[in-house]
Every structure is written in structure tokens, then in C-alpha cells.
Amino acid sequence: MTEVSENPTQIKQEAKAPKTIVPGGFKRSVCKLVMKLLGKGICYGYKVDSRIKQDVDAIGDDFSVKLTISPIGPTMIFGKKDQKPFSRIGSYDEEATMTISFKGLNSAFKMFTGGMGLAAGYAQHRFTVKGDLYKILAIVRIINIVEGYLFPKAMAKKLMNPIPPKQVNSVRFLCGTLF
Amino acid sequence: MLPKYYEFLNSVKIMSGENALENLPHELKMMGAKKPIVLTDAILAKCGTLDKVQKAFKGFDIDVTETYTEIPPDSSIKVINEIAGIFKAKGCDSIIALGGGSVIDTAKGLRIVIEQGGNDIMDYMGLDSLPRKDRIAFAVIPTTSGTGSECTNVAVIANPDKNVKMEFISYDLLPDFAVLDPRMTETMPPKITANTGVDALVHAIEGYTCLQKNPLSQSYAFAAIRLITTFLPKAVLEGGNHEYRLAMSNAATMAGIAFSNSMVGLVHAIGHAIGGVAHVPHGIAMAILLPHVMKFNLETLKPAYAELLLPLAGAEIYATTPKEERAQKAIEFVTAFIKQFESVGLPTKLSDAKVTEDQFDAIAQTAINDGAIVVNPIMATKEQVIEILKEAF
Ligand SMILES: [Fe+2]
């Protein structure tokens, strides 16, 4: 919240940055892909899973959550505006109502690819949070439920205890998310 | 067994024992403090405890006349922002907190606002996200033995407009000094001694067992439990005894260090919610909930609870209890240990603490949004929280 907002050209700059100077380019690309999927999954989940809808609505009517990886991203923003959920790839420096920032790429990669759950990430001090900690729990549940749909069961089992039950089947969820 | 990764910090200088207070002015002088603001509550200001603190500074070039004595039992953002204004207007340069959890949490919030250079504590909500700024000296003199707040990186501050408690977690919340002087706790009434002491017990048990546990935090927790089960009943019966008081102060501080580095779990998640919804004092909520949450966690935490039977019940009972029965025995011990304080008025059922069944839904809804629920080994659902509340009713 204390971060200074950057100008709108920031997004373009990130996109244009030559790939060779980005450390951990492969892992960052994978994280970006999973983030994208997660964002779309949240938006689709809002329509088909009552728990996701309930938690998104409980966070507020107009909010944005920034998920990012230090020190340069990738960054995904999701939230709700005009009664509708949204998600998009954003820039590292932009402001949001709440920011969850992973301290390093390797642990972020683990968390986005099913090697570590959010609870373990928290216990290991792998990320920082700016904003109302009270709302973080709703975010954690939303992400857990979406990951429960998107990740294979064996993977989900490693991530959370217990795995949240599904309200629609995973294939349908994945199709809804992708198309 | 080591966790895959952990962090541990306790940077607080602990000053424990007879006349501990007497060494505080020197420490503040060494940090260049000239004009601390002394935060306390109305009762401590009236009963002469504040006087004792001020007297300890006689002859030093440190002005301790600037006091704020109206801190309410639930520290709130409004109070913090108000004191921040006073701090700046009066040219204060350091903080002394004299009191229990609420006073200490208020002081922590004040320090953040002053150090970060803002006016509103709400701007600094979060986890581990505050940049390091120039430190101002911050001493804590606890007058209860329970919260351990003198050595924790957590502050819980109420937001009365939204009727919620907000959590701040940052290493910047750790004070510089914790003064454990038995004169500061000797007048605590038996019921408060009991419920704050049980709070410390919960800190130690949850600090020992939650997901963020690590060998350092577990060592503190283990030692704290031994002190609490040995000295809490004695301190309740004989409050004027400095040995018992000091043992409990140390236990609470050690339990605080433990949970500051491993966080608390489901007992606290539900306890905070009961505090918010039904206004049950924290220690009382802890006493009521602990045995029931231990039962809920038993399957997952069997080995850890079995280990805890040793500090809880002592070597004799530990050795004569078969291995597979130790965890269950630990829960039985905790239940009986808490029950003994019914004689000084400690409620052990929610119904005795004036909680009503129609509040369960609101309590459970609040509990599942409490940060403490994340590090509990089983992430409880709303329905499970309601089941626990029914058991504890
Ligand atoms: Fe507590």
C-alpha cells in the first residue's frame, strides 16, 4: 500500500524486456502460466463453485489482489470490479488492495507447481503480505479450491490438508477455465 | 528432525529477577532515550504500579512524566493513532509499555506508526512487509504472565468500525527490552493469574505443535510447559510469592518466544473469534477450548502430544504411561490441570462464559478467517469449528 504506483507504460516495459537478462527465465515462464490459469480458474470458479463465489464476495465488492514474485515478477492480478470477477497478468510495481509477494523464485515455483502448499509456504516465511491479513484466509481458500480442481489429486494432497471437496468435476472445470 | 526451512528471531533483551526495573533506565540511556512516553491503563496508574516505574528513573536524565493511562482492555486503531499524535506533539523519543497484552499491543502499533513515519496504523497492515527504519527504544514491563507479548512479533489490534481484530506480524514489533520484575505481577488476582497462565500454556502447546514449529521454538515451549505446570497452581494460591511469580513471568515470556517463531493454531483462531463475537476474555476462551482442540488435533499430533506428557505431567507419569497412551494422557492431564482453577472462578465451559448457541455460526465464520487457522496441522472447516464449539458448550 505504501508502494508508489508506476506509470502505465510499466506493463509494456516488462513485456519488452529481453529474456536473456531475466534470471530463472524458464521457472518464471512456468509460474506465469500457472498464475494465468489460476486467475482464469478463479473467474470460472466464481460461476460454478458456491464457496469460491462466497469467499470472493466476502473480500469485497471492489478489490484487487496482486500475486507476484520478487524482484521482477511475473505478476497476476485478480479481484472484483463492477460485480464481476477479473484476472489479468500485471506489472511488478503496480498497486493493489492486497499484495502477496513471494520472496524468491524457487519457492514460488514450488508453490505454483504443486511442490509446496500455501500453509507450508507461510510456515517457511516464503512470502510477504501487504494489506488486511483477515482477508488473506479467504484468498488462501479460493486458491486451494481452484488448485484442487486444476492439479491432479496426488499433487493436491501434498498441498493441503484436507483437500477441499469438488462441486463440479475437474475436467469440466479445466475446460471452463481454458475456453 | 529439522523442518525443511525455518526462521527464528528473538532480539529482546530479557531482564528478569528482583529489582529488574532498576536496570531499565541504564538501558534506555544507552539507547539515547531522553523522553519516553509511558503507556499504561487506569488501574495500574491508580494502584501505584506506575509510580514504582517512575521512581526507578529518579536521578537519570530521562523524563518519564509523559504518560497515557487510558488504554482500554481492547487496544484499538483509534487509540494508537491518538497516542501517535501526542507522541509527536510532546517530542517523545521512545516507548515504555507497562501493562498486559492490550497495553503492549498498543505500544507495538504506536512504534510502527512512529518508525514508519505515518499517521495511521491501518497503512501498515500485513505480514513481514515493513521496511526497516530507524528504531526508537521500546521497553515492555508486563504486569501479567500470559500473553508473552513482550517477546512476540505479533500485535492484535481492534478495528471498532468493522468490529474485527486485525493482525500485524513483523519482526519490527519485537521490543528492545522485557523487564520481568516480580513486583509488577504480585498483585494480580487469582482468577487473572489462572487464565493468563493458561494462555501461556496454550502458547507453548500450540508453539510446540503447529506447522511452523522448529527446534528452537520447541525448546522454549518445552521448558515453558514445565514451569507452568509446576508453578501456576502455586502462583494462583500464593500470589505474593516472588519465586512463583517470577517463574510464571519467565514461562510466559518463553512461551511467547516459542509462538512468535512458530505461531499459534486453532485454539487461538477460535479463541480470537469468541473474543470478537461474544467478548469472552482471551485467557478464559483459551482455558475452555484447549482440551477440545487437542482432541480435534489428536490423530495428526499424536507423537507430539505424547512428547509433551513429559513436561506436562513430569518424569514419573511419563515413564509409567505406555507409549501409545501418552498422547491421550497428555490431554487428560491438561483437562484436569485447567479444571483445578474452577475454584478461583475460571469457567471451563462456553455456557459458563455466557456464550450462547446462536453465536456459534458467527464465531465459526470469524474463526475460519483468522490467520492462526493456517498453521494448525489440520485446516479446520466452519462445520468442524461448530462441532468443537458444541463440545465445549
Ligand atoms: Fe494467547
Side-chain angles (χ1 to χ4, degrees):
Chain A
M1 232 169 286
T2 49
E3 256 178 31
V4 183
S5 165
E6 295 292 332
N7 59 49
T9 57
Q10 190 71 30
I11 301 170
K12 279 185 202 157
Q13 278 169 7
E14 196 194 52
K16 273 184 192 167
K19 274 180 186 165
T20 44
I21 64 157
V22 180
F26 169 71
K27 284 187 176 173
R28 279 189 207 277
S29 308
V30 173
C31 287
K32 192 171 172 177
L33 191 75
V34 178
M35 279 178 170
K36 236 182 193 169
L37 212 59
L38 206 58
K40 289 192 167 192
I42 292 167
C43 294
Y44 180 67
Y46 185 84
K47 286 186 261 175
V48 298
D49 190 302
S50 61
R51 297 161 304 175
I52 294 177
K53 183 178 186 317
Q54 196 188 343
D55 270 328
V56 169
D57 290 343
I59 297 171
D61 279 335
D62 189 357
F63 72 91
S64 54
V65 177
K66 178 173 127 185
L67 221 57
T68 190
I69 304 170
S70 236
I72 51 166
T75 301
M76 189 269 281
I77 316 252
F78 74 90
K80 199 175 144 193
K81 209 179 169 156
D82 305 325
Q83 310 295 318
K84 269 190 250 152
F86 69 89
S87 80
R88 62 181 167 84
I89 292 298
S91 75
Y92 182 71
D93 288 315
E94 73 183 278
E95 269 195 68
T97 325
M98 249 174 298
T99 297
I100 301 175
S101 177
F102 292 93
K103 292 179 185 174
L105 177 60
N106 285 318
S107 39
F109 181 78
K110 264 189 155 179
M111 293 183 72
F112 283 118
T113 54
M116 194 198 302
L118 272 162
Y122 173 74
Q124 294 188 18
H125 306 263
R126 296 302 187 182
F127 55 85
T128 65
V129 178
K130 262 187 198 177
D132 189 349
L133 285 182
Y134 240 83
K135 293 184 171 163
I136 290 301
L137 267 291
I139 296 169
V140 168
R141 279 194 302 268
I142 292 167
I143 294 176
N144 275 349
I145 295 170
V146 174
E147 288 188 342
Y149 283 118
L150 298 178
F151 290 150
K153 196 174 177 184
M155 224 154 140
K157 214 172 175 175
K158 259 175 95 180
L159 295 180
M160 44 212 141
N161 177 24
I163 306 172
K166 295 172 187 178
Q167 289 186 357
V168 294
N169 96 34
S170 275
V171 177
R172 202 189 125 195
F173 194 94
L174 197 62
C175 292
T177 299
L178 291 174
F179 309 110
Chain B
M1 272 176 292
L2 289 174
K4 285 201 172 121
Y5 176 84
Y6 77 92
E7 295 183 358
F8 182 95
L9 177 69
N10 178 50
S11 54
V12 185
K13 180 169 195 170
I14 292 151
M15 303 155 69
S16 159
E18 294 292 341
N19 294 318
L21 203 48
E22 216 171 83
N23 280 18
L24 181 61
H26 167 79
E27 296 294 343
L28 289 180
K29 189 177 129 193
M30 298 306 279
M31 284 191 75
K34 293 247 181 226
K35 191 173 180 183
I37 187 166
V38 185
L39 308 185
T40 192
D41 62 37
I43 297 170
L44 292 161
K46 239 182 240 160
C47 75
T49 310
L50 175 61
D51 260 0
K52 282 181 198 155
V53 173
Q54 286 173 319
K55 270 190 194 137
F57 281 83
K58 262 200 175 145
F60 281 83
D61 185 20
I62 298 174
D63 175 6
V64 284
T65 53
E66 194 56 50
T67 59
Y68 187 98
T69 59
E70 299 304 318
I71 293 173
D74 267 337
S75 50
S76 80
I77 50 173
K78 282 184 182 156
V79 176
I80 290 170
N81 292 341
E82 186 194 332
I83 303 173
I86 298 172
F87 185 99
K88 289 178 202 163
K90 301 280 180 168
C92 295
D93 59 9
S94 48
I95 304 169
I96 297 175
L98 170 70
S102 159
V103 171
I104 301 172
D105 282 359
T106 304
K108 286 176 170 177
L110 173 65
R111 190 201 213 180
I112 292 182
V113 177
I114 299 296
E115 283 185 354
Q116 298 291 328
N119 297 307
D120 188 356
I121 181 73
M122 293 283 277
D123 293 340
Y124 306 114
M125 289 190 298
L127 161 75
D128 227 355
S129 61
L130 295 175
R132 269 282 163 117
K133 298 283 173 72
D134 285 341
R135 314 297 304 266
I136 55 170
F138 176 21
V140 170
I141 309 164
T143 56
T144 62
S145 302
T147 66
S149 196
E150 62 277 8
C151 279
T152 69
N153 59 0
V154 185
V156 181
I157 294 159
N159 182 346
D161 294 339
K162 289 186 180 166
N163 201 19
V164 294
K165 294 202 169 187
M166 298 181 322
E167 251 185 318
F168 295 74
I169 306 175
S170 164
Y171 287 122
D172 282 326
L173 293 173
L174 286 171
D176 299 302
F177 310 103
V179 181
L180 309 181
D181 190 318
R183 289 174 296 170
M184 298 290 108
T185 54
E186 66 184 353
T187 55
M188 218 192 330
K191 184 179 169 186
I192 297 182
T193 303
N195 78 47
T196 52
V198 171
D199 184 26
L201 179 65
V202 178
H203 296 157
I205 292 177
E206 297 208 296
Y208 192 86
T209 52
C210 281
L211 290 182
Q212 205 172 311
K213 63 179 188 269
N214 59 72
L216 287 166
S217 66
Q218 285 189 311
S219 311
Y220 282 95
F222 203 86
I225 293 172
R226 194 72 278 250
L227 282 173
I228 294 164
T229 50
T230 310
F231 288 102
L232 181 57
K234 293 177 180 175
V236 168
L237 283 178
E238 208 185 308
N241 184 307
H242 280 194
E243 184 199 346
Y244 305 160
R245 287 298 192 189
L246 197 57
M248 278 311 298
S249 291
N250 274 267
T253 297
M254 287 154 81
I257 295 170
F259 94 81
S260 177
N261 288 283
S262 58
M263 301 324 268
V264 282
L266 189 56
V267 187
H268 273 80
I270 305 177
H272 292 153
I274 291 177
V277 175
H279 307 287
V280 176
H282 181 69
I284 291 175
M286 295 296 101
I288 296 169
L289 292 168
L290 178 62
H292 302 286
V293 174
M294 284 180 83
K295 276 179 214 157
F296 175 78
N297 282 333
L298 177 63
E299 268 323 298
T300 311
L301 288 181
K302 223 171 188 169
Y305 286 162
E307 285 165 13
L308 286 185
L309 183 63
L310 178 58
L312 280 168
E316 209 59 49
I317 293 176
Y318 180 82
T320 52
T321 308
K323 203 175 168 194
E324 61 283 358
E325 289 169 26
R326 283 178 187 154
Q328 184 59 41
K329 189 93 177 170
I331 298 177
E332 283 164 22
F333 180 90
V334 163
T335 310
F337 182 77
I338 292 171
K339 215 167 165 58
Q340 70 179 307
F341 303 121
E342 279 181 342
S343 60
V344 291
L346 188 73
T348 53
K349 282 189 290 192
L350 287 176
S351 50
D352 293 339
K354 299 196 177 93
V355 177
T356 54
E357 276 175 283
D358 56 6
Q359 290 172 316
F360 283 6
D361 192 76
I363 292 169
Q365 185 59 37
T366 312
I368 58 163
N369 283 310
D370 190 285
I373 209 158
V374 179
V375 286
N376 195 72
I378 306 167
M379 188 137 162
T381 61
K382 188 176 169 184
E383 292 70 30
Q384 286 169 325
V385 173
I386 289 177
E387 276 312 305
I388 292 170
L389 292 171
K390 281 183 186 160
E391 295 264 324
F393 192 65

